[in-house]
Amino acid sequence: AADDAADDAADIADGVCPAGEEYGAEEGQCVAAAGAAAALSISTVVSLLRSILTQIVKSRFGKLFYVAFFLVVHLMKLHSLSLIWGVTSEAMEYEEQAEKRERQRLEEEEARAAVAQAHHRHHHHSHRRYSAPHGSHPA
């Protein structure tokens, strides 16, 4: 039994695993076939998942699943881009409208100021026109 353990250790070092286990290329560890090992380390779980995913992708159902998943992810990316574009264009349009309103407000203020100034000038002139001529005093 001690010789078997020593042989297994030597085989693992060479990349060969005991019966019922697969060699994990990542960590140089042997991966127990499903359920054979009680304590699974993170690296064995990762390599086990990788082998399961590889088998799923190789199967016909797996290919369909992979394509569907890819399409869903792609559509979600497009949808998020569309939302971002929509929000951005709305913000730009709002900004444009705000600038237009500000320009109109300034123009209206300038027009009111011009009217007020003209009215003030007209009122000032008419006041002078009807006053008594300079030098003469009304009796």
Side-chain angles (χ1 to χ4, degrees), residues 85-97:
W85 177 259
V87 168
T88 306
S89 58
E90 280 289 320
M92 287 166 63
E93 194 174 320
Y94 180 80
E95 198 69 29
E96 213 172 276
Q97 294 296 326

Side-chain angles (χ1 to χ4, degrees), residues 26-105:
E26 283 282 316
E27 300 293 333
Q29 295 175 326
C30 291
V31 180
L40 291 176
S41 69
I42 290 173
S43 58
T44 47
V45 169
V46 167
S47 52
L48 187 65
L49 282 173
R50 187 179 291 123
S51 66
I52 290 170
L53 284 173
T54 305
Q55 288 172 357
I56 288 174
V57 170
K58 280 180 185 168
S59 74
R60 182 191 236 162
F61 165 77
K63 282 195 181 81
L64 288 172
F65 178 78
Y66 181 77
V67 168
F69 178 76
F70 176 81
L71 286 174
V72 166
V73 169
H74 191 62
L75 284 172
M76 294 310 277
K77 280 195 292 186
L78 289 174
H79 182 60
S80 64
L81 280 174
S82 166
L83 288 175
I84 290 168
W85 177 259
V87 168
T88 306
S89 58
E90 280 289 320
M92 287 166 63
E93 194 174 320
Y94 180 80
E95 198 69 29
E96 213 172 276
Q97 294 296 326
E99 284 176 12
K100 206 178 282 182
R101 281 195 300 271
E102 184 65 18
R103 271 198 304 271
Q104 278 180 336
R105 192 183 64 76

